[in-house]
């Protein structure tokens, strides 16, 4: 029953992230790269006040999600209004970063409701 309770909690968190992700600005950086994650935080801080009107649901920094929330992170990316992907050394070796990139590009190509902005 503990496993069931944990599963229910995980599902609730995924559903909540999916709902909140709709219309959000998502910033993706390599979770293991402290400098890239700091850059994501700086970008979020600098543009946060400027985007309040355009992004009613706010922002999500994927590096802040738990590693076990990979599926939820991809749901957030696929339902986002815009995604900023910060590429750094090792980004293309990270399954989490590659999954975010592929999900964003796929969503942009198929749904045409998403803008992907790569930052080098």
């Amino acid at each position: 029953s503990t496993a069931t309770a944990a599963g229910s909690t995980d599902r609730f968190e995924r559903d909540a992230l999916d709902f909140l992700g709709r219309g959000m600005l998502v910033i993706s950086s390599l979770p293991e790269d402290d400098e890239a994650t700091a850059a994501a935080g700086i970008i979020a801080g600098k543009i946060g006040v400027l985007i309040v009107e355009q992004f009613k649901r706010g922002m999500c920094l994927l590096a802040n999600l738990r590693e076990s929330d990979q599926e939820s992170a991809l749901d957030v990316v696929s339902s986002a209004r815009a995604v900023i992907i910060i590429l750094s050394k090792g980004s293309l070796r990270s399954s989490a970063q590659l999954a975010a990139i592929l999900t964003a590009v796929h969503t942009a190509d198929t749904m045409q409701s998403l803008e992907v902005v790569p930052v080098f």
Side-chain angles (χ1 to χ4, degrees), residues 90-118:
S91 288
L92 300 181
R93 285 188 225 112
S94 165
S95 61
Q97 187 79 338
L98 283 173
I101 292 167
L102 292 173
T103 300
V105 170
H106 175 73
T107 301
D109 287 346
T110 58
M111 305 296 282
Q112 297 186 357
S113 62
L114 173 68
E115 294 294 325
V116 178
V117 182

